Amino acid sequence: MFDILTLNAISDKIYTVLNSDYSVSSDTKSPDAILVRSFKMDEYEINDNLLAVARAGAGVNNIPIPKMTEKGICVFNTPGANANAVKELVICGMLLSARDIVGGNAWANTLTGDVAKQVEKGKKAFGGTEISGKTLGIIGLGAIGRKVAVAAAALGMKIAGYDPFLSPAAAKELPEGTEIVSSPEDIYPLADYITLHVPLTDATRQMINADSVAKMRDGVVILNMARGELVNVADVKAAIASKKIRKYVVDFPTEESVGVDGILAIPHLGASTEEAEDNCAIMAAAQLKDYLENGNVVNSVNFPRLVKEREYRERFTLVGNASKDVDKALENILDGTAHSVSYAEKGSVCYAIIDVDADICAGENSILDKLSDMDDVISVRLLKA
Ligand code: MLT
């Protein structure tokens, strides 16, 4: 039986994946794994037996990754699972910034008497522009950025994109004619609309600021469905006041960004569709299950990808510090026992899935004891057959 703690409301669709071997609750004290959405885990006290955390979403800035890594805890996210929902909100944000539907709707709701007559007389205050023919600059061409590119191109927009990690396979998903540039700076002078789809890191924090805005087209619209801290709100407000920025559409409002003319603040609804919540929950639960039961790692932000078919009767996994010859020490210990090892590294972490044809717990100086005593090993886990 595995105990799963939920730190946020997670779609019931997890039960299509997690069977009766799993107990899921929001108040388990000593969970084997955690399912989380936006709960900030920085102050969360990590229990000794915690093996994994899965975020039902793409961003992981609410999870203290270095602390998790140090303790050998695998952190998963669900890239792509909510990409369609976020894409739709980006398109919606672009249209709402091009046409004053929000202002027009608020005004129409105040009308009394001969409404139709007043509508025709007053509508000119809420006119707008079309997005067809305009250029959309996309910073970050991951699952969301690529979907936005395809949808915007279908609406007649020209696309310019930047992503230092774009693979050739991913590039093929982009619409024909997409201009791939080699830095965000190259996007700024090209785009009428700029949408951000990058994770929040030290390198991306406040990437939109007075300097970057100065390089943008006059009347640019900035859309931020990624993370609020990517943008210096004070600089954006100044640029709205000077009409350099036409609209800032943000899915992460703060005290600074609400109630401001020119800022369209959305209450973090990017992934809040039934479909996205179900998709993220299913993907997060499936990844946790495969890790807990088989040791397989898919879509982890701190562990390398490693998937292995079972080969011998016993399976165990090892988490350690990378680049310390852990793999060689492992082979020495297993020498003379039929075994098969899959080993990979990511950043400071090395991870191995080991199948052996022996009882690894047997005897005084068992294989498990020897492995646990190895230098640079953080944890060793024996999995159920
Ligand atoms: C994400 O990082 O994918 C979203 O913030 C998910 C969410 O809305 O919880």
Side-chain angles (χ1 to χ4, degrees):
M1 170 74 86
F2 292 107
D3 282 323
I4 310 283
L5 172 69
T6 52
L7 290 176
N8 296 100
I10 305 284
S11 156
D12 280 353
K13 285 280 180 307
I14 53 173
Y15 298 108
T16 60
V17 175
L18 303 177
N19 53 22
S20 54
D21 291 341
Y22 291 81
S23 155
V24 182
S25 130
S26 58
D27 60 9
T28 302
K29 293 286 168 285
S30 190
D32 298 296
I34 292 176
L35 276 167
V36 63
R37 196 166 163 192
S38 296
F39 181 92
K40 289 205 183 313
M41 291 187 71
D42 298 84
E43 305 300 321
Y44 179 81
E45 206 166 308
I46 300 169
N47 53 295
D48 286 344
N49 58 312
L50 184 67
L51 296 169
V53 175
R55 168 130 212 278
V60 287
N61 57 306
N62 56 324
I63 304 171
I65 308 294
K67 204 157 105 187
M68 296 293 171
T69 304
E70 208 176 284
K71 292 182 179 291
I73 297 164
C74 188
V75 180
F76 296 94
N77 67 347
T78 58
N82 58 26
N84 192 64
V86 181
K87 170 202 84 181
E88 289 186 6
L89 195 66
V90 172
I91 300 297
C92 171
M94 265 197 302
L95 292 169
L96 291 177
S97 57
R99 313 280 289 269
D100 193 5
I101 309 298
V102 175
N105 171 253
W107 173 73
N109 282 333
T110 65
L111 300 178
T112 52
D114 189 345
V115 172
K117 193 170 168 200
Q118 293 174 72
V119 160
E120 288 313 315
K121 200 164 167 229
K123 69 179 184 182
K124 59 179 172 303
F126 306 100
T129 54
E130 297 181 16
I131 59 172
S132 179
K134 308 292 189 306
T135 299
L136 172 64
I138 306 177
I139 302 181
L141 293 166
I144 300 170
R146 297 198 298 277
K147 280 188 186 297
V148 169
V150 172
L155 290 170
M157 298 188 84
K158 292 176 234 155
I159 311 296
Y162 164 73
D163 193 324
F165 307 108
L166 185 68
S167 68
K172 281 203 188 124
E173 288 176 31
L174 292 169
E176 220 183 297
T178 299
E179 182 173 353
I180 302 290
V181 298
S182 52
S183 101
E185 311 281 305
D186 298 333
I187 294 271
Y188 301 147
L190 293 178
D192 304 295
Y193 293 80
I194 294 176
T195 183
L196 307 175
H197 299 290
V198 292
L200 177 67
T201 65
D202 288 341
T204 60
R205 192 178 302 276
Q206 309 250 316
M207 62 182 289
I208 302 299
N209 53 41
D211 287 344
S212 49
V213 169
K215 295 174 188 138
M216 294 177 192
R217 286 189 173 175
D218 292 345
V220 66
V221 171
I222 299 175
L223 300 121
N224 179 7
M225 311 294 174
R227 285 296 177 265
E229 296 92 325
L230 297 171
V231 169
N232 181 315
V233 178
D235 289 356
V236 162
K237 278 161 83 170
I240 289 170
S242 72
K243 303 230 174 332
K244 174 77 185 176
I245 293 179
R246 173 174 168 184
K247 273 250 155 52
Y248 174 47
V249 184
V250 58
D251 200 23
F252 298 87
T254 58
E255 301 85 307
E256 261 189 303
S257 51
V258 287
V260 179
D261 269 355
I263 297 187
L264 181 57
I266 303 169
H268 195 190
L269 296 179
S272 293
T273 64
E274 279 173 34
E275 296 85 344
E277 286 176 6
D278 290 352
N279 287 344
C280 287
I282 291 168
M283 191 165 164
Q287 289 173 174
L288 275 188
K289 184 173 193 276
D290 201 16
Y291 182 68
L292 295 173
E293 294 179 11
N294 303 312
N296 290 332
V297 176
V298 180
N299 291 326
S300 168
V301 293
N302 61 343
F303 277 36
R305 182 188 167 89
L306 205 60
V307 175
K308 183 174 171 61
E309 287 292 319
R310 290 214 184 214
E311 284 186 57
Y312 293 104
R313 63 192 156 110
E314 294 276 26
R315 165 164 289 197
F316 57 99
T317 60
L318 178 149
V319 184
N321 298 315
S323 308
K324 303 277 185 179
D325 293 337
V326 170
D327 50 339
K328 287 189 200 97
L330 191 56
E331 286 295 346
N332 284 341
I333 289 172
L334 296 171
D335 193 27
T337 310
H339 68 273
S340 133
V341 176
S342 291
Y343 175 92
E345 296 182 358
K346 177 167 178 164
S348 64
V349 174
C350 72
Y351 182 66
I353 304 177
I354 304 120
D355 289 347
V356 288
D357 194 17
D359 180 354
I360 70 158
C361 300
E364 225 172 78
N365 198 5
S366 69
I367 295 177
L368 193 64
D369 293 337
K370 286 188 201 159
L371 290 169
S372 304
D373 289 347
M374 264 166 61
D375 284 346
D376 290 307
V377 167
I378 300 172
S379 61
V380 177
R381 181 164 70 102
L382 178 62
L383 277 69
K384 280 204 198 124

